[in-house]
Amino acid sequence: TLDALEQWAIGDHLATEVLGGANALAVGEAITAGGLLPPGPLGKGVLDAIIERVRPLVMHAMSLQNGPARSLDVDIDLGDRRLTGTIGGIFGNNLVAVSYSNLGAKHRLGAWLGALALAAGHPDENWTTHTIGKHKSGGQVAMIKPLAEHEARERLRELIGIYEAGLREPLPLPIKTTLAWSEEFRHTRNGSNGDPDAKARDQWVTPRFNDSGFPREDADTWHVRAFGEHAPYELLASPLREGEDGPAPHRLGHFGWQLWSPLIDIGHEQLRGI
């Protein structure tokens, strides 16, 4: 049998190769020949199950390919800063990414950065970003609608500000934890009952008896290096410092809301099942 990580590696490889233009049968044969599966019928059963889960993700991604695959360089002059790089996975005016992972914080943040860079670096096209991943219902897509050039530039400046603050000290900005806090905080601002800190704590604190086998963000190697082993949530949700104003009650919320609110609170991103 294959464990969850081994199955993910095969599924992600299959999705990436097929989206890049490879023949699905040929990729499956290469995986089998490479010795990555259990022998004989056992391996076929594992591969068939992975293909069944990958297929709807890839099919939806392929439906968005309204042109040949291409990459674009960006060179954005922000006045006192300059942002350069290359963005791939572009089909026509769609930026398309597919992953065999659950659609999570890192995928949504990566899509947001790509959408901003394209809108600021190539404002002559109306870019739409589609990020596709697994979900408990089968599949999910996060779509970011076209952005105005001036707003994209403003948001990039804000993100660069966060990045440069992070060069001066370890920021209390774990992305899963801050996304959970920000989404719940948005609901409470709109009149719903909720507890942003409870939602965030669930993403940060690894339970003492962790039956799932998947640690939370407090066990991440770099978070341990920055904040110590099993750092308490309260260490990150510390009081605001001078100049850190806004609606959030503590530093984790402050930086989390800075990072996530332009994406989730203003309505640029739409989440739906496939």
Side-chain angles (χ1 to χ4, degrees), residues 12 105 109 166 178 183 269:
D12 202 62
L109 182 57
T178 51
E183 289 187 321
E269 181 192 59

Side-chain angles (χ1 to χ4, degrees), residues 99-163:
S99 173
Y100 191 62
S101 305
N102 291 330
L103 191 59
K106 68 177 182 180
H107 307 103
R108 293 167 65 181
L109 182 57
W112 179 231
L113 292 171
L116 292 174
L118 285 173
H122 296 273
D124 52 326
E125 294 194 51
N126 288 322
W127 301 103
T128 304
T129 302
H130 306 265
T131 308
I132 303 155
K134 291 196 302 181
H135 191 258
K136 58 186 178 182
S137 63
Q140 190 176 39
V141 59
M143 184 185 75
I144 300 174
K145 298 178 291 185
L147 296 159
E149 179 185 4
H150 71 276
E151 182 179 6
R153 288 176 171 273
E154 178 184 348
R155 300 306 180 193
L156 285 171
R157 288 190 189 95
E158 293 171 354
L159 291 173
I160 289 172
I162 296 172
Y163 168 77

Side-chain angles (χ1 to χ4, degrees), residues 15-259:
T16 302
E17 291 296 307
V18 173
L19 187 62
N23 180 274
L25 290 176
V27 176
E29 290 172 357
I31 291 171
T32 302
L36 301 175
L37 297 169
L42 293 175
K44 183 179 184 304
V46 170
L47 183 59
D48 287 347
I50 293 174
I51 289 173
E52 190 65 24
R53 292 191 290 268
V54 168
R55 182 179 289 113
L57 310 181
V58 173
M59 293 295 291
H60 186 75
M62 293 177 69
S63 72
L64 300 168
Q65 296 181 347
N66 57 358
R70 57 177 175 147
S71 298
L72 286 176
D73 294 330
V74 292
D75 187 350
I76 305 166
D77 185 358
L78 295 174
D80 58 346
R81 299 288 187 275
R82 192 165 194 157
L83 181 66
T84 62
T86 303
I87 301 174
I90 299 171
F91 302 88
N93 62 349
N94 286 335
L95 177 59
V96 182
V98 61
S99 173
Y100 191 62
S101 305
N102 291 330
L103 191 59
K106 68 177 182 180
H107 307 103
R108 293 167 65 181
L109 182 57
W112 179 231
L113 292 171
L116 292 174
L118 285 173
H122 296 273
D124 52 326
E125 294 194 51
N126 288 322
W127 301 103
T128 304
T129 302
H130 306 265
T131 308
I132 303 155
K134 291 196 302 181
H135 191 258
K136 58 186 178 182
S137 63
Q140 190 176 39
V141 59
M143 184 185 75
I144 300 174
K145 298 178 291 185
L147 296 159
E149 179 185 4
H150 71 276
E151 182 179 6
R153 288 176 171 273
E154 178 184 348
R155 300 306 180 193
L156 285 171
R157 288 190 189 95
E158 293 171 354
L159 291 173
I160 289 172
I162 296 172
Y163 168 77
E164 291 180 343
L167 295 176
R168 296 190 290 271
E169 64 165 314
L171 296 184
L173 193 57
I175 60 171
K176 293 180 183 178
T177 302
T178 51
L179 176 59
W181 188 93
S182 299
E183 289 187 321
E184 190 69 7
F185 184 66
R186 176 172 63 91
H187 292 320
T188 61
R189 280 165 61 91
N190 292 333
S192 300
N193 294 324
D195 186 343
D197 288 311
K199 292 289 186 180
R201 196 185 304 272
D202 285 343
Q203 290 295 328
W204 175 254
V205 179
T206 302
R208 183 176 179 185
F209 301 103
N210 185 23
D211 295 334
S212 71
F214 293 99
R216 303 292 197 269
E217 286 196 297
D218 67 349
D220 177 89
T221 301
W222 295 104
H223 293 158
V224 170
R225 185 167 183 175
F227 304 109
E229 288 194 37
H230 305 298
Y233 176 76
E234 290 72 21
L235 180 66
L236 281 72
S238 57
L240 295 169
R241 298 179 182 174
E242 184 179 353
E244 295 176 352
D245 50 8
H250 47 59
R251 299 197 80 212
L252 181 143
H254 172 75
F255 287 105
W257 192 244
Q258 272 193 330
L259 178 66

